[in-house]
Amino acid sequence: MAKRVGVDKWLFCTVVLLVLFGLVMVFSASAVQAKAENGSPYYYVLRQAIFALAGMVFLFGAMQIDYRRYNNPKVVFPVVAVTAVLLLAVFAMPAVKGSHRWFRFPGFSFQPSELAKPAIILFLAYFLQTRLHKMDDWRGTVLRAVVPSLLLTALILKEPDLGTAIVCMAVTVLMLYLAGMQLRYIGIGAALATPVLYYMLFHVAFRRARIMAFLHPEADPRGNGFHILQSKIAVGTGGLFGVGLMEGIQKLFYLPEAHTDFIYANICEELGLMGALFVLALFIMLGYRGLRAALMATDPFARFLAFGITTAILIQAFFNISVVVDLLPTKGITLPFISFGGTSLFVTLIGMGVLLNITRAID
């Protein structure tokens, strides 16, 4: 088979556009808040730019490393083990808004749950590549495949971070389905997970409040319904072309988390429907090129790795955008590449470097 001389240029350019667009929108959404809270309008965007630069350096490095080097138990199991240790160690850190999600250092913070997604993808790619004809063996294959995912997901749920946990399990299910797992196993898994999910949603006070706010935001417009209502106002205000970059009103202490979880609402307000569709087009292009690489790869390890990296980004983007446009309850999931969040951006860019290396080995 003829080999590609370079990486997928369409995919590479899409990633660069997402990162640059994200930096612009982080500055637009955060400048006023940063000036008021930290004395400089560049406080957040400079930190995001540092992680973007570091991420791009590592992306170029990962592009040069043959992805086959990761197909090694001496790589896979230490990655899973270190991720699990970090997810345990984060509980020793002081809680922030009731959550143990971050290691905080002077000038920056680190969120270990962001490592769980690539760790799960790497393990499943390694484990499933040799078991494509053993997917009916629920004990020897299916159960052994999901145990690491369940362990990491349980630790993430304990933080608590239901959104990231759902992304991890969704990627796990999709990769198992790609490997040939029967739908009845997915049904059994869903049946077992339903009581847990029901408890997490309706017997944990703050999540139950979010569900109620999602169903009836107008019942508590200054409390639990505030996020959703302000997001809908921002989305609806933008019209076709928006009110103009930097001209949005909702980010001025009306729309909470305007530069993180709800940055897509700010995009809709300032750049309108056209800006919103531009972002969607970039994610569609990324998904198309990433899934194309997965389907064209003849190496099962590469196929699973490319599929997992791509679907993790798409699932996270889907959840974030769905929350902003009021299709799902608030979850606290960032928009990949675009939302403020150094750990997420850095880890995602490294993953894209691995994916771009995989594209070297296909037509």
Side-chain angles (χ1 to χ4, degrees), residues 74-120:
K74 294 181 180 179
V75 175
V76 175
F77 293 107
V79 167
V80 175
V82 169
T83 302
V85 169
L86 289 174
L87 287 172
L88 282 169
V90 79
F91 290 102
M93 298 294 105
V96 178
K97 297 181 180 180
S99 299
H100 295 272
R101 298 185 187 182
W102 297 273
F103 292 103
R104 295 193 177 274
F105 305 96
F108 75 99
S109 59
F110 171 71
Q111 191 171 355
S113 61
E114 289 295 335
L115 297 177
K117 289 172 283 187
I120 289 170

Side-chain angles (χ1 to χ4, degrees), residues 168-208:
C168 289
M169 291 312 301
V171 171
T172 299
V173 171
L174 289 174
M175 290 185 69
L176 286 167
Y177 183 71
L178 177 67
M181 184 179 70
Q182 297 181 20
L183 287 174
R184 64 190 179 95
Y185 290 134
I186 298 178
I188 292 171
L192 293 174
T194 296
V196 177
L197 186 60
Y198 176 81
Y199 177 85
M200 290 290 178
L201 291 177
F202 295 100
H203 289 271
V204 177
F206 75 91
R207 293 198 187 102
R208 183 175 64 250

Side-chain angles (χ1 to χ4, degrees), residues 42-80:
Y42 306 104
Y43 180 84
Y44 291 109
V45 71
L46 284 179
R47 280 156 177 73
Q48 188 78 343
I50 290 171
F51 278 98
L53 180 60
M56 290 302 297
V57 170
F58 276 80
L59 178 146
F60 279 105
M63 280 170 51
Q64 308 307 317
I65 299 174
D66 191 330
Y67 72 87
R68 297 173 186 85
R69 293 190 179 185
Y70 310 121
N71 191 11
N72 187 324
K74 294 181 180 179
V75 175
V76 175
F77 293 107
V79 167
V80 175

